[in-house]
Amino acid sequence: MSLGQKSQPGKPEEALQAQGEAPGLVDVQVPTAEEQEAASSSSALITGTLEEVPAAESPSPPEIPQGASSSLIVTSTPLGSLSSEGSSTNEVEEPDPAPMESLLWEALDEKVDELVGFLLCKYQIKEPVTKAEMLESVIKNYSNYFPVIFSKASEYMEVVFGIELKEVDPAGHIYFLVTCLGLSYDGLLGDDQSTPKTGLLITVLGMIVVKGICVPEEAIWEGLSEMGLYVGMEHSIYGELRKLLTQDWVQENYLDYRQVPGSDPARYEFLWGPRALAETSYVKVLEHVARVSARVPIPYPSQPN
C-alpha cells in the first residue's frame, strides 16, 4: 500500500446486494443552532482528495529482507551522500542509502496492507485482536515499527471501512473492532466475501449536513467523483454507487431519496433517513469528519480500470 494511492487490501471483497423498494418519505428535522454552527465551520473538510500530513518519525531502518522490491518514492533527505566534486582522490565515496530507505518504506507499506486484511478478518468473525497476535501473525521481524504500521492500518480501517479499534484492556493490549459513531450498519452480507461500507456512509451523511441538509443528488455524485468514486461503474468494495445510495441505504433507512417538490422535470435530493437520525447526530458526524480529515492522508480505493 503506498502512501499516495492505496489498493484494496486483502480479500474479502464485492458489494452489498440488497433488495427492495425505498420506504416512504420522512419529515426533515431542522438542525439546532449548535448543529448549524458546526456545519458552517466544517464546510471545507469534505473534499475529493484528503490532504497529506507529515509522516511520524520512525526508528532506524532494520535490515531489509531479501526479495523486497521498491514501489514507493521516498522524498526525505538521504542518510548519506556522495563525496563532493574536487575531493581528495584518496577519499572513498559513500554509497547512497536512498534505495535502502525506499525498500524499507515499501516493506512497511506491505505490512500495513497485510494488517488491514488481518483486522478485516477479525471484524468479520467478531473476534477481538491483541497486539501479540498482530506481532506474531503479521508484523514479525518489523516489531520496532509496530506503532507506525498499526497507526496507518487503523486510519485506513476508519476512513475507508468505518471500523475503529477500541482498546478494552490496556494492560493486555486487547482491541475490539466496532463501527464508528456506534452505527448498527456495516453492509456485510454475512459471508467472508463482503467488506464494511460504514466509512462511505458516514462520508455521505457528512456531505449532506455540510451542503445543506436537503442536497440535490447531483451534488452528492459530484462529491463522490472527486474522491474517485463514479456512478454507473462497479466498484470493488462498494458495488454500483447509485444502487447503494438510492436503494440499499434508503431501504436501510439511513438515507431518504425523494423528488424535489414542484420540480418539472423531476429532480431528486438526499436527506438523512430516520435510522441515521436515531443512531447519531449532525454534530457527531461533523466532528468525526473533521477529525479524520485533519490526520488521514489516505484516499478511498480507486475505481477499478
Side-chain angles (χ1 to χ4, degrees):
M1 171 184 6
S2 65
L3 303 183
Q5 185 66 39
K6 175 74 178 65
S7 61
Q8 180 190 355
K11 309 245 179 199
E13 52 195 275
E14 299 308 319
L16 176 66
Q17 300 294 330
Q19 302 290 328
E21 297 293 329
L25 305 183
V26 297
D27 294 333
V28 179
Q29 291 199 5
V30 179
T32 64
E34 178 188 13
E35 291 167 340
Q36 290 177 337
E37 181 179 353
S40 175
S41 63
S42 304
S43 60
L45 293 173
I46 301 178
T47 58
T49 303
L50 298 177
E51 295 181 356
E52 293 199 3
V53 295
E57 288 189 4
S58 46
S60 300
E63 182 179 351
I64 305 299
Q66 290 184 344
S69 61
S70 173
S71 63
L72 176 69
I73 298 176
V74 178
T75 57
S76 57
T77 303
L79 302 179
S81 60
L82 297 176
S83 58
S84 60
E85 186 176 354
S87 300
S88 169
T89 56
N90 293 328
E91 292 183 2
V92 179
E93 291 185 349
E94 297 179 1
D96 183 359
M100 290 294 289
E101 187 176 353
S102 183
L103 287 173
L104 168 64
W105 282 106
E106 194 260 337
L108 294 183
D109 275 346
E110 290 181 356
K111 287 299 177 183
V112 174
D113 193 61
E114 292 175 21
L115 184 56
V116 168
F118 180 79
L119 294 174
L120 279 175
C121 289
K122 285 290 187 179
Y123 175 77
Q124 288 170 335
I125 61 178
K126 306 303 180 186
E127 281 189 0
V129 63
T130 66
K131 179 180 178 180
E133 281 183 292
M134 291 183 276
L135 287 170
E136 180 180 356
S137 301
V138 179
I139 308 302
K140 299 179 180 178
N141 294 334
Y142 292 87
S143 58
N144 288 342
Y145 289 85
F146 176 78
V148 175
I149 297 169
F150 180 73
S151 175
K152 289 187 177 296
S154 299
E155 290 172 354
Y156 194 85
M157 290 288 293
E158 186 171 352
V159 71
V160 175
F161 300 113
I163 304 299
E164 61 179 324
L165 285 85
K166 286 188 174 294
E167 190 172 29
V168 295
D169 182 357
H173 300 290
I174 301 174
Y175 301 85
F176 280 167
L177 292 100
V178 298
T179 52
C180 295
L181 301 180
L183 297 179
S184 58
Y185 168 88
D186 58 18
L188 295 183
L189 298 175
D191 55 37
D192 60 356
Q193 299 300 310
S194 56
T195 49
K197 301 171 183 63
T198 315
L200 184 60
L201 173 60
I202 293 173
T203 298
V204 172
L205 292 175
M207 285 182 179
I208 292 173
V209 178
V210 168
K211 294 177 181 293
I213 309 303
C214 301
V215 181
E217 65 171 326
E218 294 82 6
I220 299 298
W221 306 139
E222 180 181 356
L224 293 176
S225 68
E226 291 174 357
M227 298 162 55
L229 305 174
Y230 303 101
V231 173
M233 296 181 64
E234 190 78 10
H235 193 275
S236 57
I237 293 177
Y238 307 117
E240 204 288 300
L241 291 178
R242 182 179 294 277
K243 177 182 180 297
L244 180 64
L245 271 66
T246 65
Q247 296 182 35
D248 298 343
W249 286 350
V250 170
Q251 183 180 9
E252 295 286 346
N253 288 325
Y254 279 108
L255 294 180
D256 183 16
Y257 179 67
R258 71 182 189 185
Q259 183 177 343
V260 177
S263 61
D264 185 19
R267 292 180 292 107
Y268 291 85
E269 62 186 1
F270 283 104
L271 303 82
W272 278 31
R275 188 173 171 187
L277 292 166
E279 292 183 356
T280 188
S281 69
Y282 298 138
V283 170
K284 287 181 179 179
V285 167
L286 289 173
E287 288 175 347
H288 175 87
V289 170
R291 178 169 56 83
V292 168
S293 299
R295 65 177 174 83
V296 178
I298 303 173
Y300 277 83
S302 60
Q303 197 80 25
N305 294 328

